[in-house]
């Protein structure tokens, strides 16, 4: 594998301001190094997009951030504390919405699942679920089962369930990867609006480079075998972003070029 | 759409009516000796007589009780054991071969063993019926619990759900279709074994009624008992249908 001629950028640790911090994180599964030392920080309220060729461990990195995996080296910290297990403040949006939703519960019931675990009373749950459904544009679909909804609607529902946790951090694993282009663009804008209103931190894994630039404040590119940070780009595009105007800006095109070159070199 | 449903209903009734007419005809023409084959009229009269005298009602209650106790015991044990085995990969590896060995065993073959151990008692009937109807439920539950979408367990972890909540809100509803399918099969098994136990152990019930009627050549009574057993099978299956479509409403949405 040709080593790309790129300056390896590693963010210098400054734990005071970082909400999520990867400190020399390594993960070995079954004798195979999946991730070999990633150091990375995510500031509160930031939208960090993670891209990389397949096998670069981007999904694994997200699962480490969620506390679903424990690192075999280094440490993952949330607000300065080591992550030993998943935390309620950190919500995860899985790519396969069809598997992550409970098919035997209605839309309202699926949101209620998150509300039940925080001990909310039944009469409050109903109102809160309706409120969250309205927030993601699913008002009037409360009584529908997931299988009666389109893919885009199901993913919206999963996002609403995550919002029910009142999360400080949203970890999103290629959430729009399985959706068609139009639905995807619509959801990108809806997500940006939601995040802007809640102020949540977002770590967004995607294989769509344009999506990463369009959404992110920062884009991190990972190198494969084993996964490590190869590129870090600060996205200086004005917000709110616009599907047409933003994507036509010279800066957008420059970043797009840089990211494409990086991925190509890393493969 | 509705008319075609109605049409099929009418057709199925016509078939049943035709068969009963044929039966009546065969009995009237004495194609088979009335000692062995009563007409539907005589069978019906015997059924009514049995109900008014209360004899048949006691037998019916006996069979229903045997069936219900055995089936319920099997349900509780089957679902609890199945949940334990199904949710653990190690348990499955250890226990599965034994289960595969026991499953195809004809339960009627263990009745003598049960009689030797427990005598000709209600306890024996309970043990045999429960043992026989355990298998479909146990295997259904094991399969259901083993097939829970792993992603849902991750969702549960992220949401900080308690172990109990995970069992009752994730695993059990996910396994419900398999469990209910097992319960449906068990219901038939329970009815068969209730009748067999009553015949062999002389316990109060329709099995005993049918056997004694046959031995004393009371063919009308025999047929009345058989008809009643058919009705039990049919009605319990209908009740199971109703329970299933209520509990599995979400699956109707999927189709």
């Amino acid at each position: 594998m040709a080593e790309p001629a790129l300056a390896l950028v590693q963010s210098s640790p400054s734990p005071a301001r970082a909400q999520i911090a990867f400190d020399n994180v390594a993960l070995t599964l079954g004798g195979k190094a999946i991730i070999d030392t990633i150091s990375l920080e995510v500031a509160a309220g930031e939208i960090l997009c993670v891209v990389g060729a397949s096998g670069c461990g981007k999904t694994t990195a997200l699962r480490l951030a969620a506390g679903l995996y424990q690192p075999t080296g280094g440490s993952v910290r949330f607000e300065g504390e080591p992550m030993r297990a998943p935390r309620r403040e950190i919500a995860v949006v899985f790519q396969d919405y069809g598997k992550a939703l409970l098919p035997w519960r209605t839309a309202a019931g699926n949101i209620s699942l998150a509300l039940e675990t925080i001990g909310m009373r039944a009469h409050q749950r109903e109102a809160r679920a309706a409120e969250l459904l309205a927030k993601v544009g699913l008002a009037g679909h409360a009584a529908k089962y997931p299988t009666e909804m389109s893919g885009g609607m199901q993913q919206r529902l999963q996002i609403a369930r995550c919002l029910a946790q009142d999360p400080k951090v949203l970890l999103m694993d290629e959430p729009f990867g399985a959706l068609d282009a139009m639905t995807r663009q619509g959801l990108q804008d809806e997500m940006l609006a939601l995040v802007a209103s809640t102020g949540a931190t977002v770590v967004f894994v995607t294989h769509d480079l344009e999506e990463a630039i369009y959404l992110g404040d920062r884009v991190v590119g990972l190198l494969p075998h084993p996964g490590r940070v190869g590129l870090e780009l600060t996205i200086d595009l004005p917000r709110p972003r616009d599907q047409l105007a933003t994507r036509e800006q010279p800066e957008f095109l420059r970043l797009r070029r840089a990211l494409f070159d990086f991925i190509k070199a890393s493969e | 759409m509705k008319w075609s449903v109605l049409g099929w209903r009418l057709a199925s009734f016509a078939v049943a009516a035709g068969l009963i007419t044929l039966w009546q005809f065969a009995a009237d023409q004495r194609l088979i000796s009335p000692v062995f084959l009563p007409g539907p009229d005589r069978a019906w009269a015997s059924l009514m007589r049995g109900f008014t005298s209360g004899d048949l009602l006691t037998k019916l209650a006996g069979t229903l009780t045997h069936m219900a106790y055995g089936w319920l015991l099997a349900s509780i044990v089957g679902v609890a054991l199945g949940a334990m085995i199904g949710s653990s990969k190690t348990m499955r590896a250890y226990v599965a071969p034994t289960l595969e060995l026991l499953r195809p065993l004809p339960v009627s073959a263990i009745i003598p063993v049960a009689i030797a151990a427990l005598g000709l008692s209600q306890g024996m009937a309970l043990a045999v019926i429960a043992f026989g109807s355990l298998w479909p439920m146990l295997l259904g539950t094991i399969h259901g619990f083993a097939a829970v979408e792993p992603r849902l367990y991750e969702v549960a972890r992220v949401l900080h759900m308690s172990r109990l909540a995970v069992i009752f809100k994730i695993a059990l509803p996910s396994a419900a279709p398999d469990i209910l399918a097992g319960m449906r099969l068990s219901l038939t098994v329970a009815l068969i074994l209730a009748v067999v136990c009553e015949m062999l152990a002389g316990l109060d019930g329709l099995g005993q009624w049918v056997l004694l009627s046959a031995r004393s050549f009371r063919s009308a009574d025999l047929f009345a008992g058989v008809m009643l057993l058919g009705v039990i099978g049919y009605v319990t299956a209908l009740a199971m249908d109703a329970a299933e479509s209520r509990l599995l409403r979400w699956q109707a949405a999927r189709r």
Side-chain angles (χ1 to χ4, degrees):
Chain A
M1 184 191 71
E3 196 62 29
L6 282 164
L8 293 182
V9 187
Q10 302 249 311
S11 41
S12 53
S14 55
R17 132 204 119 82
Q19 189 168 39
I20 303 171
F22 276 51
D23 194 5
N24 291 312
V25 168
L27 182 72
T28 309
L29 283 178
K32 194 169 171 247
I34 308 293
I35 282 178
D36 194 12
T37 57
I38 289 183
S39 290
L40 195 66
E41 293 187 342
V42 191
E46 185 184 18
I47 301 179
L48 176 76
C49 294
V50 181
V51 297
S54 51
C56 71
K58 48 192 194 294
T59 293
T60 309
L62 198 79
R63 298 170 70 86
L64 281 162
L68 287 168
Y69 286 160
Q70 286 300 309
T72 45
S75 71
V76 178
R77 279 171 289 125
F78 175 76
E79 294 181 340
E81 280 176 56
M83 283 282 293
R84 297 230 162 73
R87 307 171 62 110
R88 244 176 225 149
E89 305 98 303
I90 302 179
V92 182
V93 179
F94 294 101
Q95 177 184 7
D96 41 8
Y97 41 80
K99 291 180 178 172
L101 295 169
L102 311 187
W104 55 88
R105 284 193 180 217
T106 59
N110 265 283
I111 295 179
S112 184
L113 183 77
L115 300 175
E116 285 158 26
T117 52
I118 57 174
M120 190 183 274
R121 306 229 170 154
H123 62 278
Q124 287 173 306
R125 285 204 299 264
E126 205 174 315
R128 180 79 179 124
E131 193 181 315
L132 286 162
L133 282 170
K135 215 171 185 176
V136 296
L138 290 178
H141 298 286
K144 276 197 182 154
Y145 288 100
T147 42
E148 297 174 287
M149 302 170 122
S150 69
M153 288 164 83
Q154 290 186 42
Q155 193 56 292
R156 283 202 188 99
L157 176 56
Q158 198 194 169
I159 291 171
R161 186 174 69 193
C162 287
L163 294 178
Q165 285 176 256
D166 267 325
K168 288 184 181 171
V169 178
L170 271 173
L171 302 176
M172 307 181 92
D173 185 10
E174 300 194 26
F176 310 142
L179 302 172
D180 63 87
M182 287 307 290
T183 310
R184 179 191 298 209
Q185 293 199 348
L187 276 173
Q188 286 168 354
D189 291 332
E190 281 174 38
M191 189 211 90
L192 285 179
L194 277 175
V195 168
S197 72
T198 58
T201 309
V202 175
V203 179
F204 193 103
V205 166
T206 178
H207 59 254
D208 180 343
L209 306 183
E210 291 192 30
E211 182 174 65
I213 300 166
Y214 182 73
L215 295 174
D217 292 316
R218 203 152 51 103
V219 175
V220 165
L222 297 184
L223 291 169
H225 312 296
R228 59 209 187 278
V229 176
L231 174 81
E232 205 178 308
L233 293 171
T234 303
I235 311 297
D236 237 344
L237 293 165
R239 287 187 191 272
R241 293 186 181 164
D242 179 271
Q243 290 289 354
L244 291 175
T246 302
R247 288 174 194 262
E248 282 165 359
Q249 287 191 17
E251 175 66 3
F252 186 91
L253 299 174
R254 188 188 71 76
L255 290 163
R256 179 170 172 266
R257 183 59 194 244
L259 216 47
F260 267 95
D261 285 345
F262 164 76
I263 295 293
K264 205 159 184 198
S266 75
E267 272 172 344
Chain B
M1 194 62 193
K2 245 192 160 170
W3 283 108
S4 73
V5 170
L6 197 69
W8 283 114
R9 282 270 154 78
L10 280 174
S12 61
F13 272 116
V15 169
L19 284 174
I20 291 173
T21 315
L22 201 67
W23 174 14
Q24 184 73 62
F25 175 78
D28 287 348
Q29 298 300 311
R30 304 199 163 224
L31 297 175
I32 298 164
S33 158
V35 177
F36 301 115
L37 183 76
D41 50 345
R42 279 177 56 215
W44 180 256
S46 162
L47 192 65
M48 288 301 112
R49 200 167 50 240
F51 274 138
T52 42
S53 70
D55 270 4
L56 213 45
L57 272 181
T58 342
K59 306 294 176 193
L60 174 67
T63 300
L64 282 176
T65 317
H66 293 146
M67 195 179 156
Y69 279 138
W71 185 71
L72 282 177
L73 181 62
S75 298
I76 295 165
V77 175
V79 173
L81 218 62
M84 249 159 43
I85 299 168
S87 48
S88 152
K89 216 172 183 170
T90 344
M91 272 285 258
R92 283 209 298 281
Y94 278 115
V95 181
T98 315
L99 291 183
E100 287 307 313
L101 203 71
L102 284 173
R103 185 175 58 98
L105 193 73
V107 184
S108 37
I110 68 138
I111 294 181
V113 183
I115 292 177
L118 299 165
L120 295 171
S121 62
Q122 299 284 357
M124 182 278 294
L126 183 67
V128 168
I129 297 167
F131 182 79
S133 39
L134 175 72
W135 299 104
M137 240 156 341
L138 181 64
L139 296 169
T141 310
I142 291 174
H143 179 259
F145 269 76
V148 176
E149 173 56 49
R151 181 68 82 223
L152 290 179
Y153 285 133
E154 286 184 348
V155 169
R157 280 181 67 197
V158 170
L159 287 175
H160 269 242
M161 286 169 68
S162 66
R163 270 188 81 92
L164 215 62
V166 172
I167 292 173
F168 283 101
K169 291 178 183 172
I170 306 262
L172 211 51
S174 170
D178 291 312
I179 296 174
L180 286 168
M183 288 178 127
R184 169 189 289 279
L185 287 174
S186 294
L187 211 51
T188 320
V189 177
L191 178 58
I192 295 169
L193 290 175
V195 169
V196 172
C197 285
E198 285 156 11
M199 283 179 168
L200 286 179
L203 300 171
D204 229 11
L206 287 171
Q208 181 208 40
W209 167 280
V210 165
L211 190 69
L212 292 182
S213 304
R215 281 185 180 158
S216 47
F217 300 102
R218 287 183 278 118
S219 61
D221 288 351
L222 164 67
F223 271 70
V226 170
M227 272 156 57
L228 215 47
L229 284 170
V231 170
I232 295 180
Y234 186 64
V235 169
T236 47
L238 279 187
M240 201 65 214
D241 269 345
E244 259 183 36
S245 60
R246 193 174 151 61
L247 286 167
L248 304 179
R249 252 173 315 180
W250 56 277
Q251 282 205 323
R254 175 173 284 180
R255 275 175 221 129

